[in-house]
Amino acid sequence: MNEESPKAIFYALAANLGIAVFKYGAAAFTGSGSMFAEAIHSTADCGNQLLLLLGLKRSRAPANALHPLGSGREVYFYALVVALLLFFVGGAFSVYEGTHRLLHHEPLSNPIVALVILGVSVVLEAFSLAGALREIRKGAPNKTLWRWFRETRESELLVVAGEDIAALAGLAIAFAAVLLTMITGNAAYDAAGSIGVGVLLMVIAFLVAREVKSMIVGESASPEVRRAIDARLRARPEITRIISLITLQWGKHIVVAVQAEMIEYASGRAMIDAINVIEEDLQNAFPEIRWVFFEPDVQKEANERAAA
């Protein structure tokens, strides 16, 4: 797992803090529902980044009797909390605010100010997203963004990228809504913009929550890492056949369980020494592997147990 993920979170926190201040000022000055919805979104994002940092810190707690594999997956819990906050605090509140303004026809004043602030916000959000994309490219230089989104095991970077993409798209919607309101004089466009921002946030939050839920349930290492582990084991001269290979992503670490046929050894101690060599080689090749559980077996016996 990319150790630079916290850097992307700090980029996002700094950007959203500045954006929130500008947006609240513009919302108070203009009375724009879209701008107020965007301000609430930026405030929620600041809280979300703090939660992600807390989750990363708690995930580094050492293993103990209650949590023998450590607390690495705790970061997934905080990522899910962030996704839920993005849905309810950011999305649902924006829809409510837009619906309220649509029904009560509240006017928009000083739209130029709102447009300027939205333009500044786009620059700051682009800075945050660029930081997240740099971290994504370091770990997955050849993947499309959508493929990375579906396959990544970095929940905190997943949330930051999702938030930033939602923020830029939301800013585009808010900008268009305020501009249409200024041109037509119809405040319904501004209210509709707030609803549009809210719906967008709820869609992004749902997609992020779905991915994080899968991590909480228990996902294997990413496909390319699992294939590399499998290839490494099959290349070992001590192993004649891989019967079963299970990988489990545990925060930034990986758990590996191997069941394999091995060559003949003169004694049990010689086989144990060979297994130790295999495990050490695997952990040297993949530093993220923290635990390896290796079971020597034969294919026939494994099939008989499965049929029993």
Side-chain angles (χ1 to χ4, degrees):
M1 180 165 290
N2 189 351
E3 295 289 351
E4 298 298 319
S5 294
K7 188 183 293 185
I9 300 175
F10 283 119
Y11 285 148
L13 178 59
N16 282 309
L17 191 59
I19 290 169
V21 172
F22 281 117
K23 286 178 179 177
Y24 276 117
F29 191 67
T30 64
S32 168
S34 294
M35 184 60 70
F36 187 66
E38 279 293 316
I40 292 295
H41 174 202
S42 294
T43 302
D45 282 351
C46 289
N48 290 346
Q49 273 102 53
L50 291 174
L51 281 172
L52 289 176
L53 290 172
L54 175 63
L56 282 174
K57 181 179 179 180
R58 292 182 63 87
S59 71
R60 298 189 182 106
N64 55 43
L66 184 60
H67 301 102
L69 298 185
S71 302
R73 292 174 68 180
E74 189 160 351
V75 68
Y76 301 156
F77 166 77
Y78 283 93
L80 182 61
V81 170
V82 166
L84 293 175
L85 287 174
L86 185 64
F87 186 96
F88 290 106
V89 178
F93 185 83
S94 295
V95 171
Y96 165 79
E97 179 67 19
T99 302
H100 175 78
R101 289 176 179 268
L102 189 63
L103 294 175
H104 293 83
H105 306 287
E106 297 183 14
L108 174 66
S109 60
N110 299 301
I112 295 297
V113 174
L115 292 175
V116 170
I117 295 300
L118 286 170
V120 172
S121 299
V122 166
V123 173
L124 292 175
E125 283 290 0
F127 164 78
S128 175
L129 181 58
L133 290 176
R134 279 196 300 271
E135 304 309 324
I136 290 171
R137 291 300 168 221
K138 286 180 183 179
N142 300 316
K143 290 184 180 181
T144 64
L145 188 60
W146 177 247
R147 183 183 167 195
W148 172 85
F149 183 85
R150 295 307 309 271
E151 294 183 357
T152 184
R153 305 303 189 255
E154 296 180 85
S155 60
E156 69 283 0
L157 191 54
L158 173 77
V159 171
V160 169
E163 283 183 342
D164 288 343
I165 292 170
L168 277 174
L171 286 167
I173 293 172
F175 190 94
V178 172
L179 185 62
L180 284 171
T181 298
M182 183 179 71
I183 293 172
T184 64
N186 186 353
Y189 287 110
D190 180 58
S194 180
I195 295 172
V197 169
V199 171
L200 172 70
L201 291 177
M202 288 192 285
V203 170
I204 295 293
F206 170 78
L207 294 174
V208 170
R210 183 183 65 179
E211 295 301 317
V212 175
K213 185 264 298 183
S214 183
M215 296 179 198
I216 290 174
V217 171
E219 286 189 336
S220 68
S222 61
E224 65 272 17
V225 171
R226 191 187 186 285
R227 285 193 296 268
I229 292 172
D230 183 76
R232 187 84 179 187
L233 289 168
R234 292 181 186 280
R236 295 296 309 180
E238 303 91 343
I239 296 175
T240 60
R241 184 198 302 268
I242 300 295
I243 300 172
S244 174
L245 172 62
I246 297 173
T247 64
L248 179 63
Q249 191 72 45
W250 200 274
K252 65 180 180 179
H253 299 300
I254 296 174
V255 181
V256 177
V258 185
Q259 188 182 42
E261 288 187 11
M262 302 185 68
I263 62 175
E264 293 291 335
Y265 286 95
S267 66
R269 179 53 189 263
M271 179 177 287
I272 290 172
D273 290 340
I275 290 173
N276 288 335
V277 170
I278 294 170
E279 292 179 348
E280 183 178 0
D281 173 73
L282 200 60
Q283 290 175 312
N284 287 335
F286 303 92
E288 63 270 38
I289 295 178
R290 175 65 65 87
W291 304 273
V292 180
F293 302 100
F294 196 104
E295 178 188 355
D297 206 339
V298 293
Q299 184 73 52
K300 182 179 179 181
E301 292 179 2
N303 288 337
E304 287 174 352
R305 284 199 301 271

